[in-house]
Amino acid sequence: MTVNLRPSEALHLWHSAMLGLVRSEAPDLTLRQLSLLLHIYLVPPPHTVRGLAATLGVTKPVVTRALDSMGALGLVRRIRDDRDRRNVIIQRTVGGALYLEKLGDIIIKEGRELAL
Amino acid sequence: MTVNLRPSEALHLWHSAMLGLVRSEAPDLTLRQLSLLLHIYLVPPPHTVRGLAATLGVTKPVVTRALDSMGALGLVRRIRDDRDRRNVIIQRTVGGALYLEKLGDIIIKEGRELAL
DNA sequence: ATGGATTGTTTCGCTACCGTATCATTACTA
DNA sequence: TAGTAATGATACGGTAGCGAAACAATCCAT
């Protein structure tokens, strides 16, 4: 696990990766949506609206709207929590996994070309 | 220059950094705006609207609008090219440099905590 | 000098996001 | 069984983004 970045290198890595992301076909999410998606897929469940809102430091409607949009894109899925039917559990989907896989590819691809 | 990332590590790094960015006070730019800002500051000038649009693979109005917004935030500045007055040259500002410096700090800070 | 090409901007109609406030549903508690 | 608390969703007015098309200013070639 070598994450030895100096500020300038970190920015260059981000630059290439974001450029790759923007240029890609992938539907362009907002920073908040992307952040949310990464959190849902990289942090162990369960994820609730309230929990996600607290994690990102945003209001609940922001999370609800983001889930609407990303749900329509097939990147996440909502289900009711049966043990406490006030809760909504956010689940991963195949589409979301593919999206993140593609993102990971972009990052390492650009990072590699950067190192040359 | 150690940018040796495997896909999963790359995503985790992005996750923490983006979380830090979203939670930060910094005005939240769109992916395209952030990408544009990074490009302007990390790639040698001169930068023109047309050139930036081609680099990002977006239309010119997207760049014009992004420059409007980021200009209002003091992150970039426009001047006319005197040698060909059709061109607009995009210049860096102190505010933009500070913004990116802060972003770099967030990335390496989160990356370091990730490595523990 | 005039016609065409090129640059960046603006306009149009539309969609999506924002924060605040309110709402409906469900759970808990006295 | 009320009454309160908590969860997620919705309504509202406003802002800002989008692509496509039209635009003004400038350059250049003839």
Side-chain angles (χ1 to χ4, degrees):
Chain A
M1 182 77 170
T2 54
V3 184
N4 270 328
L5 294 174
R6 281 184 308 233
S8 153
E9 299 165 349
L11 287 179
H12 274 91
L13 179 57
W14 259 52
H15 169 230
S16 343
M18 292 211 53
L19 218 51
L21 181 57
V22 168
R23 301 184 67 137
S24 78
E25 299 297 328
D28 46 270
L29 308 176
T30 66
L31 278 178
R32 289 170 169 192
Q33 287 169 347
L34 188 51
S35 189
L36 210 41
L37 191 66
L38 283 162
H39 192 80
I40 292 166
Y41 279 78
L42 297 179
V43 171
H47 300 291
T48 65
V49 172
R50 178 167 182 74
L52 292 171
T55 301
L56 268 75
V58 299
T59 60
K60 287 191 293 177
V62 167
V63 176
T64 295
R65 280 188 296 255
L67 294 178
D68 287 343
S69 310
M70 297 195 296
L73 292 171
L75 302 178
V76 294
R77 178 174 37 215
R78 273 185 266 219
I79 62 165
R80 278 278 157 198
D81 182 356
D82 274 329
R83 298 196 300 186
D84 182 343
R85 300 187 48 77
R86 288 173 302 182
N87 289 333
V88 160
I89 306 294
I90 290 88
Q91 291 189 324
R92 304 163 182 170
T93 65
V94 174
L98 286 177
Y99 186 100
L100 284 201
E101 189 181 324
K102 207 177 303 180
L103 175 58
D105 285 346
I106 289 175
I107 299 176
I108 58 170
K109 171 175 178 296
E110 301 293 341
R112 204 159 25 224
E113 292 178 4
L114 200 66
L116 299 181
Chain B
M1 182 76 169
T2 54
V3 184
N4 270 330
L5 293 175
R6 281 184 308 235
S8 153
E9 298 163 351
L11 288 178
H12 274 92
L13 179 57
W14 260 52
H15 169 230
S16 343
M18 292 210 52
L19 218 53
L21 181 57
V22 169
R23 302 183 66 138
S24 77
E25 299 297 329
D28 45 270
L29 308 176
T30 67
L31 278 178
R32 290 170 168 192
Q33 288 169 347
L34 189 50
S35 188
L36 211 39
L37 192 64
L38 283 162
H39 192 81
I40 292 167
Y41 278 79
L42 297 179
V43 171
H47 300 291
T48 66
V49 172
R50 177 168 184 74
L52 292 170
T55 301
L56 268 74
V58 299
T59 60
K60 287 189 297 177
V62 167
V63 176
T64 295
R65 279 188 296 255
L67 294 178
D68 287 344
S69 309
M70 296 195 296
L73 292 171
L75 303 178
V76 295
R77 178 175 38 214
R78 273 186 267 219
I79 61 163
R80 277 281 158 195
D81 181 356
D82 274 330
R83 298 194 301 183
D84 182 343
R85 299 188 50 76
R86 289 173 301 181
N87 289 332
V88 160
I89 305 294
I90 290 88
Q91 291 189 324
R92 305 165 182 167
T93 65
V94 174
L98 286 177
Y99 186 100
L100 283 202
E101 189 180 325
K102 208 178 301 180
L103 175 58
D105 285 346
I106 289 176
I107 298 176
I108 58 172
K109 172 176 177 296
E110 301 294 340
R112 205 162 22 228
E113 292 177 4
L114 200 66
L116 298 182

